[in-house]
Amino acid sequence: MARTRPLQCPFCDNYLAPPVDIKMKSLEITGGICTCGAVFVLDRSGHNLGEVFLDALTFAGKGDIDKAMALMPEDYETETLDYDIHTNSLRPRGGRKGRGGKLIFVRLKNQ
Ligand SMILES: [Zn+2]
């Protein structure tokens, strides 16, 4: 058995609730928000990271996709973590590849 870790924010180490379905303007995601201002979005398959990353940026910008598209890499911090939705825990890096979901975290700077 690989060791698992509880779901924690990669930026502030806060413990987080499991991702939930969220609708915001045209955005439909499964994710959540940390008290530090970071947002996270679940990619269930782990294969749509580009798309989900844009969703995460849009979510961080409160649903404003134009703002999300205009963001530069220096405008935000991002982390991608392997996540097991069944146990609400993070999987260690370097485990089996290509299986399971991923959580993409984004935190905008200058908020
Ligand atoms: Zn946080």
Side-chain angles (χ1 to χ4, degrees), residues 42-49 80-86 89-103:
L42 173 67
D43 180 353
R44 285 175 199 279
S45 67
H47 295 301
N48 299 311
L49 288 175
T80 302
L81 303 176
D82 292 319
Y83 176 68
D84 185 338
I85 195 169
H86 301 294
S89 58
L90 299 173
R91 286 178 292 133
R93 286 177 194 274
R96 287 182 302 167
K97 287 203 166 48
R99 287 184 185 254
K102 291 187 185 298
L103 284 179

Side-chain angles (χ1 to χ4, degrees), residues 9 12 34 36:
C9 175
C12 71
C34 179
C36 74

